Amino acid sequence: WQSQTSGQYQRRVHGGVSASPTTPPRVHCENNFPLCCVVRQFRDHPLERGWTKINETGVQPFLKRIESLDEEKFEKKSIPQEEYGETYDTIFNMCIQREPYNFSEPLYNKHREALTDYYSKKVIPAIREGQEKHGLAFLQEWVRRWRDNKWTVDGMRRMFMYLDRFYVPNSEDLHNMSEQGYTLYRNNVFNEFKDASRDAILDCIRREREKEIQDRELLKDAVAVYVELGQKLQKVDLQLYQQDFEEKFIDATAKFYQVKSRAWLDQDSCPDYMVKAEQCVTEEEQRLSQYIHGSSKQKLMDAARNELLKDHQGELLAKKSGIGALLEKESKEDLARMYRLYKSVVEGLFPVAEAMKAHVAKLGHDYINQSKQTKGPDKEHKLVRNLISLHERFHGIVSNNFENAQVFQKALKEAFEDFINKEYYTSNLLARFINDVLRKGSKVAINDLDSTLDHVVMLYGYIRDKDVFERDYQLFLSNRLLQGLSQSEQAEKSMIGKLKTECGYQWTSKLEGMFKDVQLSSELMEQWKATVGGDIAVELSVNVCTTGSWPTSTMSACAPPVQLQDVCDKFKTFYLAKHSGRRLQWRLDLGSADIQVNFSGSTRKILHLSTYQMMVMLLFNFNDKLTYQQILQQTSIARDDLQAPLLSLAHPKVKVLSKEPNTNKVEDKHVFTINTKYKNNLYRVKIPLLTKLAKSDKQKTAMMKAQQTRRRHQIDAAIVRIMKTRKQLKHMGLLTEVVEQLRQRFQPSGTDIKKRIEALIDQDYLEREETDRGVYNYKA
């Protein structure tokens, strides 16, 4: 505002001048109280007289009210309207004059001197008096004086608002009135007592950790001084809190728990120690939520967890009551607590997972070694049951107590892979177990079929040479389907679905094809019976199996017996009429038959036999006795395939045939006859088929050779697929990709892959790079 002598009032608007009516303008203060300021020239008001008026009517009454603070009343109205208007009017008039009568700079300095004088005469003595009493009184005064100072700085800013608006923005390197007030508080008060205040707070925290009750609201306000003062100052923010409080606080926390953890570790068991550690961690989290600033969370929790957990992890896990004992006793609550504690420690779960892995691997190896000492076949499936039980137990721990964390899933997988692949026969035992579970009339007692299937599939996933299991499983499945021995079609399909999820569709598509063949064969036989089959005395049932879906084996050279030749020819004609271009081959080794046998004039029975046994029995329609050599010649059944069916008929517990001499071996000159004294209370008798005699070295060699051939073909196919895509690849890169592609089937060796690469080079699928023999090119 300019002088009244101009005849009108003028005001500055954004650097310009605008005219206004001759009536005095109304000025509004920050509290929205209207003030009518009559502006006069201030040349007759010297600085000291003006400041005395400002100090006596504005500053000192305000500071006295601060000292006798009634917070509720002060918050509603910190400065009376009249007092504020008069003070503001005086400052305003002292600052709008031209030089040398403009007192903006002296008043800015007077503002600083007034606050400095107030801090030195009132605030500092009051805090020091509290400090001399005891820690609690000191912190209470520390908090009160900071709260009062916020009112002080704000009130002084409002009285000197004109300087904030017009003088400070037009001057360099000057703080605004609030910044100056808080800077003065920091320099005069905070720096004087910051160390003592921090030490008092840390002492209270130490006492609280020692289970002494503390005033958390007071601690919250005391810590807030470090935070809020930094936030009031430009370019400081949390640096003040971090440098003057947080560093010492974190250091004190680490030292406290270093001493405590050592004492607890020496005297407590692993579970008891973890209970105390968890309680400490919970208490630190509560401190963070109640009175420690949130920015300290990571540092505080790391300090506590490192001293309580990380630094002693090896010793804690190795205790007699440590991880081994917890896993052995299945202490689920303690295991869950261990996981909760260490999941927040950097790499804290790896040692726990490794300890679990070693424990599981040891138990698994013990089961494998026990199975080696068992003589004879494991009819009760003891090994597989133990492995399933072991997997169920630790899979439950990983899922429920370790929250299915990936590090524990990996540890469990590696542990089982370690011992389940130790012996080659584990795959076969697993396939036999699931065969007995799904077989009709199974004597294998299980509590939960679906859960058992899940664990079997998981064990299958740990097997490296999956092609061995798959071959055995497919053979057993084909036998169940063709002999009608499946206990439940739903269970069979459920198992295939689980295998498909684990290994993909490539192999399981063959299993699904087997089911499809059986279903189509059932529909086909209904059509057969409705047409040709209805006029034939022999009741025929045929399963048409698609080559490629069913397990391959050596085709038998024997032909259907004479009695069945006519009906077989008619069925072949019937089938080919519906499916031209296809070829039928009879698999007599996989069928069964019901025949009526007249043992004597008074003894007539219906026997349920295998097809090979039926062929043997039909020979006795024309012969009273036959040697083993004659049976071989007339049936054309392979020698190795005939022994088990023939001995089953002559077994002492069956005695359908009589054998001379009566031994469990068969030679060419041994004689067989119908047992005319055969007796059985049942009219329809099922003749059990003995398990095939132990495979000869020649047969075992043939099976291994067939498996190696299949693997060679799979390696060849993988190499060609990769090279067809890449066109050019280095030797090690090709080896890596082949192993990666085939690891779901089996684990090929580097030597085997190298041999197949050489073979493919000879077959002109690949060639070596002329300039680098370690690089292969694909030849289109």
Side-chain angles (χ1 to χ4, degrees), residues 94 99 260 402-403 405 495 509 589 645:
M94 292 178 69
E99 297 293 346
K260 284 294 182 183
F402 295 154
E403 297 182 4
M495 181 64 181
S509 61
D589 56 323

Side-chain angles (χ1 to χ4, degrees), residues 265-445:
L265 201 63
D266 291 338
Q267 69 186 23
D268 292 329
S269 65
C270 176
D272 292 341
Y273 181 91
M274 289 194 297
V275 169
K276 292 181 178 180
E278 186 173 44
Q279 184 178 0
C280 291
V281 170
T282 302
E283 289 174 355
E284 295 304 326
E285 290 174 342
Q286 291 175 351
R287 287 187 188 93
L288 278 166
S289 65
Q290 294 187 14
Y291 60 85
I292 300 297
H293 192 263
S295 64
S296 299
K297 180 177 181 179
Q298 190 65 45
K299 295 178 182 178
L300 173 61
M301 300 313 299
D302 284 349
R305 291 188 175 111
N306 287 343
E307 295 298 335
L308 288 167
L309 300 168
K310 187 174 183 178
D311 292 350
H312 305 296
Q313 186 171 18
E315 185 178 354
L316 186 65
L317 296 178
K319 275 179 169 281
K320 290 183 178 180
S321 57
I323 183 68
L326 298 181
L327 292 171
E328 191 66 32
K329 296 176 182 177
E330 293 187 63
S331 302
K332 296 180 179 180
E333 184 178 348
D334 292 323
L335 289 170
R337 180 178 291 108
M338 181 176 287
Y339 174 79
R340 289 197 303 271
L341 289 171
Y342 280 104
K343 73 176 180 179
S344 300
V345 176
V346 177
E347 297 186 352
L349 292 178
F350 289 101
V352 182
E354 286 297 314
M356 186 196 77
K357 173 183 171 182
H359 183 80
V360 174
K362 180 181 180 303
L363 293 176
H365 282 294
D366 290 344
Y367 289 142
I368 296 292
N369 293 332
Q370 290 172 14
S371 71
K372 291 181 181 179
Q373 300 172 4
T374 303
K375 296 181 180 179
D378 186 8
K379 294 182 179 180
E380 297 181 356
H381 303 287
K382 189 173 181 181
L383 174 61
V384 176
R385 284 179 176 275
N386 285 336
L387 295 183
I388 290 176
S389 176
L390 182 68
H391 188 268
E392 184 176 16
R393 172 182 164 192
F394 283 96
H395 184 266
I397 289 174
V398 170
S399 300
N400 301 324
N401 306 116
F402 295 154
E403 297 182 4
N404 235 358
Q406 186 176 4
V407 63
F408 290 99
Q409 291 183 23
K410 182 180 178 183
L412 185 65
K413 180 176 183 290
E414 291 176 351
F416 270 84
E417 288 177 343
D418 180 51
F419 62 78
I420 207 170
N421 294 291
K422 183 179 180 182
E423 298 296 336
Y424 69 93
Y425 56 76
T426 310
S427 297
N428 179 262
L429 293 179
L430 194 61
R432 287 184 181 276
F433 172 77
I434 200 63
N435 176 61
D436 288 351
V437 168
L438 298 176
R439 191 181 180 90
K440 187 182 294 183
S442 172
K443 295 181 180 180
V444 180

Side-chain angles (χ1 to χ4, degrees), residues 662-696:
N662 188 16
T663 61
N664 60 356
K665 294 183 179 180
V666 183
E667 296 180 6
D668 289 350
K669 295 183 180 180
H670 289 185
V671 179
F672 295 86
T673 60
I674 294 290
N675 178 19
T676 57
K677 297 180 181 180
Y678 178 78
K679 291 183 179 180
N680 196 304
N681 295 329
L682 299 175
Y683 177 68
R684 190 175 187 277
V685 182
K686 181 178 180 179
I687 305 301
L689 185 64
L690 291 178
T691 304
K692 285 189 177 182
L693 303 179
K695 293 182 177 65
S696 64

Side-chain angles (χ1 to χ4, degrees), residues 626-645:
L626 291 165
T627 64
Y628 179 57
Q629 181 67 32
Q630 291 172 329
I631 295 173
L632 282 171
Q633 292 173 352
Q634 294 184 37
T635 61
S636 300
I637 300 174
R639 184 181 294 270
D640 291 336
D641 294 335
L642 180 60
Q643 289 187 21

Side-chain angles (χ1 to χ4, degrees), residues 727-767:
K727 305 301 182 184
Q728 187 181 78
L729 204 59
K730 290 184 177 181
H731 178 75
M732 289 306 300
L734 181 57
L735 257 64
T736 302
E737 292 202 29
V738 170
V739 171
E740 181 64 24
Q741 280 200 13
L742 296 177
R743 66 185 180 87
Q744 294 294 335
R745 315 296 303 156
F746 63 94
Q747 199 75 21
S749 66
T751 303
D752 291 338
I753 298 174
K754 187 175 181 181
K755 288 180 179 178
R756 299 319 305 160
I757 292 174
E758 295 296 338
L760 291 172
I761 290 175
D762 293 340
Q763 297 171 28
D764 285 338
Y765 283 96
L766 307 177
E767 64 179 1

